[in-house]
Amino acid sequence: MDTEKAILTAIYTHLANDTQLSSTCSGVRLGLVWAKKDETFPYLVHRLQSYIDNPNVMYRGDYYLDLWDHRDSASKIYDMRSRIIALLDRAYIVENGDTFTVVQSDGEMGGGMILARLWLATGWMIPEDIEHIWHYSMLFTMRFTRTITEITILT
């Protein structure tokens, strides 16, 4: 699997399957780059920008996650933010064969190879023109390697 697709899929699966985040959001709706037209609030949108450190193996990346909600206060956005930080800050993405999984600790790795590591870099509220629309943007920095499949193809 393509490395960037593997990373985005692992993060999507990790967020979408988290019961606490799902409860906070009344079901996790996570779009790639854009949300569906007229998506139900709250929802999330994510994207990955990568930079080559070593063209054969190592990359740096910026993982952007935008949280959107429509209500009288920003409390739900901050609840979502807190849970996402617990799920992704200092997390690993591990490759076990064809499976890519987000884990929080070495004990969860199950013998897999570390594909990526994420750190929360910053987050900020973005003002919107429409009253009661809350938009919070998060940026996670990451370092990652190519998937074993991609490395094998290159060698």
Side-chain angles (χ1 to χ4, degrees):
M1 179 184 291
D2 169 80
T3 302
E4 290 187 21
K5 182 177 180 182
I7 289 168
L8 289 168
T9 301
I11 293 171
Y12 174 89
T13 302
H14 191 59
L15 296 177
N17 291 335
D18 183 70
T19 55
Q20 188 174 337
L21 184 60
S22 184
S23 176
T24 300
C25 297
S26 302
V28 177
R29 288 166 294 284
L30 176 57
L32 178 60
V33 182
W34 303 103
K36 288 190 270 180
K37 185 178 179 174
D38 298 323
E39 181 64 87
T40 302
F41 287 101
Y43 63 85
L44 304 91
V45 177
H46 69 165
R47 64 195 179 283
L48 175 63
Q49 182 175 1
S50 61
Y51 312 92
I52 299 172
D53 277 346
N54 176 327
N56 294 320
V57 181
M58 293 307 297
Y59 289 79
R60 289 177 295 116
D62 291 328
Y63 174 72
Y64 296 90
L65 183 61
D66 291 282
L67 320 177
W68 293 84
D69 196 19
H70 182 255
R71 64 189 64 243
D72 292 340
S73 78
S75 62
K76 180 146 326 229
I77 283 282
Y78 286 111
D79 290 344
M80 293 164 57
R81 175 190 174 277
S82 294
R83 184 60 187 156
I84 290 165
I85 290 171
L87 292 170
L88 296 181
D89 189 27
R90 299 186 181 127
Y92 304 96
I93 298 176
V94 175
E95 180 177 3
N96 258 326
D98 293 334
T99 306
F100 301 87
T101 311
V102 177
V103 299
Q104 254 55 52
S105 67
D106 295 345
E108 297 176 81
M109 288 178 42
M113 181 184 100
I114 296 174
L115 175 69
R117 178 76 194 247
L118 292 93
W119 298 270
L120 178 64
T122 189
W124 60 97
M125 191 68 84
I126 298 174
E128 294 296 328
D129 293 339
I130 300 170
E131 188 175 14
H132 304 302
I133 295 286
W134 301 100
H135 178 191
Y136 192 90
S137 189
M138 303 176 82
L139 171 62
F140 291 84
T141 301
M142 66 170 37
R143 292 211 18 107
F144 62 96
T145 186
R146 293 178 184 258
T147 63
I148 292 173
T149 303
E150 284 186 330
I151 292 170
T152 304
I153 290 169
L154 291 172
T155 55

